Amino acid sequence: MTKWTVEQLVDAIIQHTEKEYNKSIEDATPEEVYYVISQIVSRTINKSWQQTEKMYHQHKPKQVYYLSMEFLIGGLLESNLLNCGMRDQCNQALTRLGFSPSDIYSHEHDPGLGNGGLGRLAACFLDSMASLAYPGHGLGIRYRYGMFEQRFINGYQTELPDYWLKNPYPWETKKSEEAVEIQFGGNVNMFKRRDGSLEFTYENTDNVLAVPYDVPVVGYKNKVVNTLRLWSAEPVNTVTQTKNDDYYRELENNHSIEQLSGFLYPDDSTEEGKKLRIKQQYFLVAASLKQILKHYKTTERKSLIHLPKKVVIQINDTHPSLAIPEFMRILMDEEGFGWEKAWDITTNVFAYTNHTILSEALEKWPIDMIQSIVPRLYMIIDEINERFCQGIWFDHPELRDKIPKLAVIADDQIHMANLAIVGSFSVNGVAKLHTDILKNQEMKDFYHLFPDRFNNKTNGITHRRWLLMANPKLADLITDTIGPKWIKHPRELTHLLRYVEDRPLLEKLGQIKQENKQKLANYIHKATGILVDDQSIFDVQIKRLHEYKRQLLNIFHVIYLYNELKDNPHLEIVPRTFIFGAKAAPSYYFAKEVIKLINTVASIVNHDPSIKGKIKVVFLENYNVSLAEKIIPAADLSEQISTASKEASGTGNMKMMMNGALTIGTLDGANIEIKNLVGDQNIFIFGLRSEQVYELYDSGAYSANDIYQNDERIAQILNQLRDGLVGHHDIEFKDIYYHLLGSNDPYFILKDFDCYVETQQLVDQAYRYNNKWLSKSLINIAHAGKFSSDRTIQEYATGIWNVKEIF
Ligand code: 26V
């Protein structure tokens, strides 16, 4: 990439503004400046993009395709500048021209093409693949409406559509010439050829055009630019008919086609809209496989038998797992392979990552839906199932009684996780504990069948976005202390361990955290009107709102503290600001009640002068990637309090650790690996362990009601929910009360409450010893290198994909 000087950039910005907007730079709006810089950066990127493609064409390395229904890429201007090595110059150029760089960057609208961790992980992986120079690309859907925009009205979540394409998106390039046609529905005809083999043809299908929009994925200062290809659905031909009624029918039809890439599904598992979701999945899968095969055929000119040497497809959860039968269909119906050969190729191409063990999130599709949407795929899935079940019957008689659980089709439903396991050569979990649970509990019988398939790849996050970009001052302090090598080799952060007793360094670390907290406090004030004490502990829980993540436990602790302070206004506690960010799936009633509860507690606590501002509660609206970038650098305490066994990994835990927050958490997901690195002294662990959770489920020995009867603090809180909170007797949370006691507290909130409160007291004590706290914070940063997604990608590359860096 061309090296830009500050002067050159200043000139380029002035010239582009004049050319594009016919304005002098003094009159340009920040938004216009945002577009101008995006264009300048895009041009710089384009050259490397073409060169990277040329290189792939010449050297023909094995390619990785990361198939995902979600990519939460966040803002791209600042991260592209950073990765191109232009950020410092651009900041200076903007300052020279009288603009605030962060103000300009904030004009970018986050593309919300994902729900949470799974989508953000995909984006971190793309960043790491490009930065490590792996030939790896993302394939997803260009939803016209992304994750809804969240507003609180009277404390309740309301959802507004996120039409993120209202203004042109400067990072995408439409590639009409690479559009492909996808067939839905129709009838399948079967013929017997002379040689006895079968031929399948389709008629009366509904055809849709998949048009790719490419977004560059820029590697960190290495001139590699990979591609994130997002498919958009369009009608195949827009030739208008002559007859009036046909014309309108066609328009209606076109409209329903565009709905295919219309919106992102929220992660709830309601019945509604299942059909459209299946169509979206097939749309992604069919378009992507067409492109992958086209690329293979033009570069390799070899039989598809050799394809697994040149192509690996990672499927992000089961969402794209129709790729397996679709690939079989292409190999058999279009390429003329027999079943065995086709199956051999297929099962050497696909690798599947599992991201959750929650049974309600495991996808199951009704047979009749799959039959009507993709009839030929249904026939193939049926045969996969037949052959697989027969294989167990004959080769594994010990598992005969397990066939109903292992089958791909059971109870008139297709079990997508089973399909994904059967059709892949690798199945991985996303943290050690999660993989162990898959092997020994949830997928135990599959593990027995295919022990070599199962492996662990603990998640990671890109330290470029989450530290270098989001927390530049901390990044600079680290570089001043241990030199810049950690940027390319994040494990080198452990050199910081030499400084855990170094007073001057700890002081600087404390100052930076303080500045970040002031910045967040200003933002909170601007966004919500709430004044928070920047000397208080910033206690942060940011993640999707879900029962298993237990935001309810957190707010119970707040209510408990509030009750204590009301009883004893002189109670000595370190002031705390409880910060929440979370979206609830629109149809997830209980989660929405929890949002209302947190907002209600906030309005009570924040407006009660008698507690002298010792605690404040802030629920920031519309949590997304760019808001996370503001909150994380300012966090003191990271809440990772899921019911043990339920959080597959978590990645927010890694982001906050990397920014010097201490974790309060259960032994769940990647928390365990964090604990093993930083040591018990530098993390606050509490609560049931996953084995205990399983035991309690199995034995039925748990009684939420007993705890309610015996713990006064809990009784008080629950009764307040039932009868109305102090000063808010009109608002009740009876549903939460009845749910906890009526469903016997399925996520053990009451059970873990006592040790949570106790552990929070330890946090309070620890925070009082400023230097000790800071050295714990430094130890967390020092060990965070392991959680760079560079390490994770390295492990995928050698352990699953068998791909090499291009240089
Ligand atoms: C579920 C569903 C169900 C059907 C409708 C569409 C949909 C979309 C998303 C989801 C949730 C996917 C699960 C997920 O996000 N898992 C998170 O993955 C993170 C990355 O591996 C991991 O760190 C989190 O622990 C895990 O909850």
Side-chain angles (χ1 to χ4, degrees):
M1 266 163 239
T2 24
K3 199 94 186 103
W4 288 81
T5 64
V6 179
E7 290 69 27
Q8 284 169 331
L9 260 175
V10 168
D11 285 349
I13 295 170
I14 293 173
Q15 275 169 28
H16 268 73
T17 311
E18 276 171 4
K19 217 167 109 199
E20 283 290 315
Y21 296 100
N22 201 16
K23 271 185 182 177
S24 74
I25 188 74
E26 292 82 33
D27 300 327
T29 65
E31 197 174 2
E32 288 164 346
V33 176
Y34 161 75
Y35 275 104
V36 163
I37 301 179
S38 303
Q39 262 158 28
I40 296 171
V41 184
S42 288
R43 272 185 210 177
T44 312
I45 291 171
N46 283 346
K47 288 183 199 146
S48 306
W49 205 356
Q50 286 162 17
Q51 277 161 11
T52 307
E53 276 178 4
K54 215 178 265 168
M55 192 144 66
Y56 289 155
H57 209 81
Q58 273 166 7
H59 299 288
K60 307 181 185 6
K62 184 174 183 183
Q63 303 273 341
V64 181
Y65 297 99
Y66 199 82
L67 245 66
S68 176
M69 290 288 282
E70 307 189 11
F71 286 94
L72 260 186
I73 53 181
L76 287 190
L77 177 54
E78 195 179 357
S79 78
N80 283 346
L81 281 165
L82 176 76
N83 287 6
C84 290
M86 291 170 69
R87 182 176 62 158
D88 294 343
Q89 297 94 305
C90 188
N91 285 350
Q92 286 178 41
L94 283 170
T95 315
R96 230 184 255 182
L97 290 167
F99 295 97
S100 134
S102 60
D103 180 37
I104 299 294
Y105 304 148
S106 74
H107 277 82
E108 183 160 7
H109 189 108
D110 267 31
L113 309 183
N115 277 285
L118 167 143
R120 183 54 234 174
L121 184 78
C124 283
F125 280 6
L126 294 183
D127 184 84
S128 285
M129 287 193 284
S131 296
L132 296 174
Y134 284 114
H137 312 279
L139 290 158
I141 293 181
R142 181 178 178 267
Y143 303 104
R144 262 173 300 120
Y145 291 89
M147 187 64 175
F148 64 83
E149 189 184 323
Q150 179 193 54
R151 293 268 171 84
F152 296 143
I153 297 184
N154 196 15
Y156 288 103
Q157 168 176 296
T158 53
E159 300 96 22
L160 300 177
D162 163 48
Y163 187 48
W164 66 288
L165 293 167
K166 193 164 58 214
N167 299 317
Y169 185 56
W171 305 108
E172 66 180 11
T173 312
K174 183 174 182 176
K175 295 273 175 74
S176 304
E177 70 283 7
E178 294 187 50
V180 294
E181 212 170 308
I182 311 297
Q183 300 184 303
F184 288 92
N187 312 314
V188 180
N189 297 319
M190 194 164 74
F191 303 98
K192 216 173 195 162
R193 295 193 194 97
R194 282 227 182 110
D195 64 358
S197 66
L198 296 173
E199 184 176 333
F200 294 87
T201 59
Y202 321 125
E203 58 181 24
N204 298 327
T205 54
D206 292 324
N207 295 2
V208 176
L209 201 63
V211 184
Y213 287 72
D214 288 354
V215 178
V217 181
V218 182
Y220 182 73
K221 296 187 179 173
N222 66 357
K223 298 192 177 170
V224 172
V225 180
N226 289 335
T227 302
L228 167 58
R229 173 159 281 198
L230 300 174
W231 298 100
S232 178
E234 285 184 17
V236 172
N237 56 44
T238 41
V239 184
T240 42
Q241 308 280 321
T242 41
K243 270 195 258 155
N244 255 348
D245 51 341
D246 283 351
Y247 173 77
Y248 286 108
R249 203 173 309 142
E250 178 148 329
L251 280 190
E252 207 175 283
N253 186 37
N254 290 354
H255 180 73
S256 82
I257 286 172
E258 281 155 8
Q259 286 314 307
L260 263 178
S261 51
F263 67 93
L264 163 80
Y265 268 85
D267 68 339
D268 57 13
S269 32
T270 50
E271 291 294 308
E272 289 165 72
K274 267 192 179 174
K275 261 195 182 153
L276 183 53
R277 170 87 178 165
I278 298 172
K279 285 186 185 170
Q280 286 188 336
Q281 296 186 344
Y282 182 66
F283 175 72
L284 166 68
V285 153
S288 303
L289 290 184
K290 279 215 158 105
Q291 180 227 300
I292 292 169
L293 286 171
K294 201 157 55 175
H295 182 266
Y296 175 81
K297 285 181 176 172
T298 50
T299 49
E300 294 296 332
R301 299 171 207 279
K302 272 196 202 134
S303 156
L304 291 172
I305 296 222
H306 304 289
L307 186 110
K309 285 183 225 147
K310 290 290 174 179
V311 168
V312 55
I313 302 175
Q314 190 72 40
I315 52 181
N316 200 19
D317 217 299
T318 54
H319 314 158
S321 52
L322 285 176
I324 291 163
E326 170 68 1
F327 200 58
M328 287 293 287
R329 183 192 70 76
I330 297 172
L331 291 176
M332 295 189 302
D333 298 1
E334 294 178 9
E335 303 290 340
F337 286 96
W339 184 277
E340 273 79 18
K341 276 210 175 110
W343 187 242
D344 185 54
I345 301 173
T346 302
T347 50
N348 280 297
V349 164
F350 290 99
Y352 154 59
T353 306
N354 175 284
H355 295 267
T356 182
I357 58 157
L358 292 187
S359 54
E360 63 269 29
L362 290 180
E363 292 184 301
K364 295 177 199 86
W365 298 128
I367 285 182
D368 52 348
M369 279 191 199
I370 295 287
Q371 245 169 345
S372 83
I373 298 169
V374 277
R376 177 66 181 129
L377 290 205
Y378 176 70
M379 298 165 79
I380 294 170
I381 296 170
D382 193 41
E383 176 133 12
I384 293 174
N385 182 50
E386 272 307 305
R387 288 175 182 247
F388 172 62
C389 293
Q390 279 195 23
I392 302 175
W393 184 267
F394 291 113
D395 304 336
H396 291 275
E398 76 283 5
L399 286 181
R400 279 182 189 173
D401 58 326
K402 299 283 170 49
I403 289 179
K405 250 185 68 200
L406 293 165
V408 175
I409 303 177
D411 307 325
D412 292 330
Q413 290 187 311
I414 301 177
H415 293 240
M416 302 308 278
N418 296 4
L419 175 64
I421 299 171
V422 174
S424 304
F425 68 88
S426 161
V427 177
N428 76 283
V430 290
K432 275 200 186 96
L433 173 73
H434 172 57
T435 303
D436 287 342
I437 291 175
L438 293 180
K439 285 185 189 171
N440 304 325
Q441 312 266 351
E442 306 296 324
M443 297 177 173
K444 190 170 158 214
D445 301 321
F446 279 111
Y447 179 52
H448 175 87
L449 277 175
F450 311 120
D452 301 335
R453 253 176 232 195
F454 284 77
N455 64 91
N456 176 247
K457 297 287 168 282
T458 298
N459 282 167
I461 56 165
T462 166
H463 61 288
R464 288 167 289 274
R465 177 178 291 266
W466 296 107
L467 177 49
L468 270 179
M469 187 184 111
N471 200 345
K473 291 204 171 123
L474 177 57
D476 286 346
L477 176 66
I478 296 171
T479 301
D480 290 346
T481 310
I482 59 170
K485 247 179 105 183
W486 68 275
I487 299 172
K488 288 253 170 183
H489 306 280
R491 289 286 189 124
E492 304 257 323
L493 283 172
T494 48
H495 291 309
L496 288 170
L497 290 173
R498 280 186 263 138
Y499 298 85
V500 291
E501 306 277 347
D502 186 297
R503 283 281 177 115
L505 176 72
L506 295 180
E507 210 160 277
K508 285 185 203 147
L509 180 65
Q511 261 165 22
I512 289 168
K513 183 60 84 182
Q514 198 50 41
E515 285 170 34
N516 292 337
K517 286 168 73 176
Q518 273 159 10
K519 235 168 110 182
L520 181 61
N522 291 340
Y523 175 83
I524 290 173
H525 187 228
K526 238 178 59 200
T528 67
I530 303 169
L531 275 173
V532 304
D533 174 2
D534 58 30
Q535 302 291 320
S536 65
I537 301 176
F538 278 20
D539 180 330
V540 175
Q541 189 171 21
I542 42 176
K543 46 185 81 253
R544 286 179 291 134
L545 213 138
H546 201 289
E547 280 170 274
Y548 84 80
K549 295 181 186 278
R550 300 200 295 190
Q551 281 93 351
L552 198 54
L553 178 58
N554 187 343
I555 202 67
F556 276 15
H557 171 236
V558 177
I559 300 174
Y560 158 76
L561 277 181
Y562 180 68
N563 289 338
E564 290 285 290
L565 283 167
K566 292 301 277 181
D567 276 353
N568 174 11
H570 299 292
L571 187 74
E572 275 283 320
I573 60 162
V574 181
R576 271 205 211 203
T577 305
F578 296 89
I579 298 168
F580 292 87
K583 287 178 181 173
S587 66
Y588 192 170
Y589 171 77
F590 190 80
K592 289 176 132 179
E593 282 293 291
V594 174
I595 291 183
K596 172 65 180 167
L597 174 63
I598 298 173
N599 279 324
T600 307
V601 173
S603 84
I604 295 171
V605 166
N606 298 345
H607 295 108
D608 186 341
S610 77
I611 61 163
K612 301 198 182 76
K614 284 183 185 164
I615 54 177
K616 287 266 167 85
V617 179
V618 177
F619 201 144
L620 288 168
E621 258 172 3
N622 201 35
Y623 178 61
N624 60 13
V625 174
S626 46
L627 185 54
E629 287 163 9
K630 293 190 174 75
I631 300 172
I632 289 168
D636 291 311
L637 187 65
S638 157
E639 297 272 351
Q640 306 300 337
I641 57 179
S642 52
T643 310
S645 79
K646 303 289 181 192
E647 189 69 271
S649 161
T651 43
N653 46 4
M654 303 168 183
K655 291 165 200 162
M656 284 197 263
M657 169 200 197
M658 195 175 270
N659 282 274
L662 271 57
T663 301
I664 180 164
T666 47
L667 286 175
D668 199 16
N671 298 350
I672 298 174
E673 289 157 75
I674 294 177
K675 185 207 84 151
N676 290 343
L677 283 171
V678 301
D680 294 329
Q681 299 308 306
N682 303 300
I683 189 166
F684 300 94
I685 295 292
F686 73 96
L688 292 173
R689 283 171 286 112
S690 72
E691 314 88 81
Q692 296 172 306
V693 167
Y694 275 100
E695 263 163 39
L696 284 178
Y697 283 141
D698 287 348
S699 68
Y702 176 56
S703 162
N705 202 51
D706 280 357
I707 299 187
Y708 175 56
Q709 300 298 336
N710 293 312
D711 187 324
E712 280 174 20
R713 302 161 304 176
I714 284 180
Q716 185 182 4
I717 295 168
L718 286 182
N719 294 342
Q720 285 169 319
L721 295 186
R722 188 191 55 202
D723 305 332
L725 294 161
V726 202
H728 281 67
H729 292 286
D730 49 330
I731 313 163
E732 301 150 2
F733 294 93
K734 282 198 169 54
D735 291 336
I736 299 182
Y737 172 91
Y738 285 116
H739 177 67
L740 285 179
L741 296 177
S743 307
N744 199 29
D745 182 20
Y747 294 98
F748 302 108
I749 289 166
L750 307 187
K751 177 86 182 159
D752 275 345
F753 177 80
D754 180 58
C755 49
Y756 181 54
V757 169
E758 217 170 83
T759 309
Q760 287 286 18
Q761 281 159 0
L762 297 179
V763 172
D764 179 295
Q765 292 303 318
Y767 197 78
R768 291 167 198 251
Y769 297 94
N770 187 248
N771 262 315
K772 268 211 176 128
W773 181 275
L774 286 170
S775 90
K776 290 176 199 292
S777 166
L778 189 69
I779 291 171
N780 272 269
I781 300 168
H783 286 293
K786 150 144 194 203
F787 299 107
S788 165
S789 44
D790 289 3
R791 186 266 313 149
T792 316
I793 285 302
Q794 209 89 259
E795 290 178 6
Y796 274 86
T798 53
I800 301 177
W801 300 335
N802 193 22
V803 292
K804 298 204 167 39
E805 300 92 334
I806 44 178
F807 46 70

